[in-house]
Amino acid sequence: MTDVDADAPHGRGQFRRALRESPPLWWALLYFFCLLCGYYVLRPVRDAMGASTDAVAIFPGFMLDWAASRGIALGEFTLQVLFTGTFFVMLVLQPLYGALVSRFPRRVFLPVVYLIFIACLMAFRWAFDSALPGRGALFFIWIAVFNLFAVSVFWSFMADVFDDAHAKRCYGYIGAGGTIGAFLGPLITTLLVGRIGVGNLPLISAGFLAVCLLCILKLRAWARRNEARRAAQDERAIGGSVWAGLKLIVRDPLLRGLALLMFFGVGVGTLLYNEQAAIVRASYATAEAATRYYSTIDWAVNGLTILVQLLLTRWLLRRFGVAPLLLLPACAILVGFSLLAASPYPLLVAVVQVATRASEFSLSKPARETLYTRVDRESRYKAKAVIDTAVYRGGDVTFVWVHKALAALGSQVVFLAGVGIAAGMLAGAWRVVRAERRLPDRGGEPVV
């Protein structure tokens, strides 16, 4: 995640110049660092909950009673129920988020949202400490809500704070700060979970969110100033619904390819996630041990992401465009699933998982975000929102049930099916590359 100046000679001087020209940069960088650090402190806890064998910890009593009365062992469908619940909660909350954005500036409602999240973390600390039944499902789904309202909205808030010219100079530094936070968050969890227990980790994350809240308050003046300037320039928001975004995807070959790439990309990730959860369920008896395992995986993913971003991403993008950033990860995942279909060893599952997620963060996602700078404003806001929410979560819930149907036949069958899904991902990437080559060249350098 670098900008035009970040890897140029005298990078330190370029950073100082960016700070002089954009005073809010420090606060924005600190905001994103603390946000991703706090999120990645919690993410391994969520993953450990999804892999838990303790159905009472995951599901509330009424759900267990309802399932038992129908002869269903709910603990055998943990991830399927959690992913399905997440999908429906996100469908409900997405319009709510849209209503908040349309009625209130982000600088107004974000502080309230962060205060609510901090209060929720305090409540989860009590829930973990008191072993509240059903805490796992609540926490698992809450993290998805947190990701939607806190992480996803961050860049939208930055668009309120920075104009286009300052964004091109500052976003790379802000992204680098977030990457460092994403690297340190799981490391904090790995080092502390055995000493303080899972129940106290939400307090650490709440501390990072409190710093985020301070940063939001500090950045409000710049957001207000940009709002006034845009109002003077009559920059109206784009109206429309999710259906408008779907129509754009159906009509546009590039957007169709991006939707296909997202759907099958989520599919390979979901299959790996479920197989990894089965390994954790069989190998780690306590929540602390499972959380430490997942935090180590997250640490490896983010560490590899930083290396690829520093050494490859920008060079590939500048020299060859988006094609290698989309095609190389898809080819690597196809090879990885082929190896797993032949030899589904737990260590190899972890290696392929790390490679898959790191290539997504360091190569595929920057390429996709770059492509959205070359489409019209309506596609950038409406269609992208559909792909990033409905297609993403729809892929989650589809493939978590596909995995359940295949798991009874063994890991090799799962990964053999994964080869086909990875081939679909490669086909989606190729369609995107072909459609991208037909786009008019707008010139300039994309921000990555």
Side-chain angles (χ1 to χ4, degrees):
M1 297 180 184
T2 58
D3 68 358
V4 177
D5 295 330
D7 62 347
H10 313 298
R12 188 178 303 175
Q14 300 284 5
F15 180 55
R16 289 172 180 164
R17 189 178 72 178
L19 286 173
R20 287 195 304 270
E21 295 177 351
S22 302
L25 175 56
W26 262 126
W27 291 108
L29 194 154
L30 178 63
Y31 178 5
F32 203 34
F33 168 83
C34 291
L35 178 58
L36 288 193
C37 196
Y39 171 69
Y40 273 98
V41 166
L42 297 176
R43 182 187 162 100
V45 180
R46 181 206 72 162
D47 293 338
M49 288 293 167
S52 175
T53 58
D54 185 358
V56 175
I58 304 301
F59 300 110
F62 75 89
M63 287 186 65
L64 292 172
D65 293 340
W66 179 89
S69 67
R70 288 160 177 79
I72 300 172
L74 201 57
E76 296 180 5
F77 296 88
T78 296
L79 284 175
Q80 288 71 33
V81 173
L82 292 178
F83 273 88
T84 303
T86 299
F87 176 70
F88 285 110
V89 169
M90 296 290 279
L91 285 182
V92 171
L93 290 179
Q94 188 67 37
L96 174 62
Y97 167 66
L100 283 173
V101 170
S102 64
R103 294 190 178 193
F104 306 100
R106 275 171 283 264
R107 62 178 171 81
V108 173
F109 73 77
L110 268 184
V112 177
V113 169
Y114 272 77
L115 285 173
I116 293 172
F117 280 140
I118 291 171
C120 288
L121 287 171
M122 297 300 181
F124 278 121
R125 191 259 180 260
W126 167 82
F128 286 125
D129 190 55
S130 60
L132 179 73
R135 61 192 179 276
L138 285 173
F139 191 79
F140 193 98
I141 295 174
W142 180 87
I143 285 291
V145 176
F146 174 75
N147 185 62
L148 170 67
F149 281 99
V151 179
S152 298
V153 79
F154 170 82
W155 288 112
S156 297
F157 183 53
M158 290 300 101
D160 294 340
V161 173
F162 297 95
D163 60 26
D164 184 60
H166 288 93
K168 289 178 179 178
R169 287 194 291 270
C170 296
Y171 273 19
Y173 298 114
I174 296 170
T179 302
I180 294 170
F183 178 75
L184 291 179
L187 184 60
I188 291 171
T189 300
T190 301
L191 294 175
L192 293 184
V193 66
R195 302 178 183 179
I196 65 175
V198 170
N200 287 310
L201 291 174
L203 297 181
I204 296 174
S205 185
F208 283 111
L209 293 193
V211 179
C212 291
L213 179 59
L214 173 64
C215 294
I216 292 171
L217 296 176
K218 291 290 186 180
L219 290 167
R220 289 176 72 176
W222 285 284
R224 190 182 296 111
R225 191 177 309 156
N226 273 334
E227 281 177 23
R229 179 186 59 80
R230 287 166 180 158
Q233 295 175 353
D234 196 26
E235 289 191 13
R236 293 186 178 91
I238 295 179
S241 66
V242 66
W243 302 112
L246 286 172
K247 291 177 183 177
L248 289 169
I249 293 170
V250 171
R251 290 201 308 260
D252 191 298
L254 176 65
L255 296 175
R256 286 201 305 271
L258 286 167
L260 189 68
L261 176 61
M262 176 68 79
F263 183 75
F264 285 111
V266 169
V268 294
T270 301
L271 288 188
L272 279 172
Y273 184 85
N274 279 261
E275 281 298 304
Q276 194 172 51
I279 293 169
V280 171
R281 199 174 292 119
S283 305
Y284 298 94
T286 66
E288 286 76 15
T291 299
R292 187 183 296 108
Y293 170 82
Y294 277 114
S295 63
T296 303
I297 293 292
D298 283 345
W299 177 79
V301 167
N302 292 319
L304 181 58
T305 298
I306 291 173
L307 286 176
V308 175
Q309 285 175 329
L310 290 175
L311 301 176
L312 282 178
T313 303
R314 184 168 178 77
W315 177 77
L316 286 173
L317 188 60
R318 297 178 78 177
R319 189 176 181 95
F320 302 106
V322 300
L325 277 71
L326 295 175
L327 295 173
L328 287 176
C331 291
I333 291 168
L334 183 61
V335 171
F337 268 82
S338 299
L339 293 173
L340 287 170
S343 304
Y345 295 120
L347 180 59
L348 187 57
V349 172
V351 170
V352 175
Q353 171 76 294
V354 170
T356 298
R357 288 177 55 197
S359 65
E360 160 64 15
F361 296 147
S362 62
L363 297 175
S364 298
K365 184 173 175 57
R368 293 197 306 269
E369 296 301 326
T370 297
L371 286 171
Y372 283 116
T373 67
R374 299 183 61 191
V375 300
D376 60 76
R377 189 165 177 251
E378 189 178 30
S379 297
R380 192 159 60 246
Y381 286 93
K382 293 180 183 178
K384 186 177 187 299
V386 173
I387 292 171
D388 288 350
T389 56
V391 175
Y392 185 95
R393 293 299 173 185
D396 258 348
V397 75
T398 298
F399 287 104
V400 77
W401 285 102
V402 167
H403 176 271
K404 186 64 178 177
L406 295 174
L409 303 176
S411 294
Q412 285 186 303
V413 174
V414 170
F415 290 124
L416 189 61
V419 172
I421 298 169
M425 181 183 175
L426 180 59
W430 179 243
R431 291 186 65 172
V432 171
V433 170
R434 289 182 61 190
E436 183 266 342
R437 288 174 178 170
R438 293 193 288 267
L439 290 177
D441 187 2
R442 297 191 177 185
E445 177 125 14
V447 178
V448 181

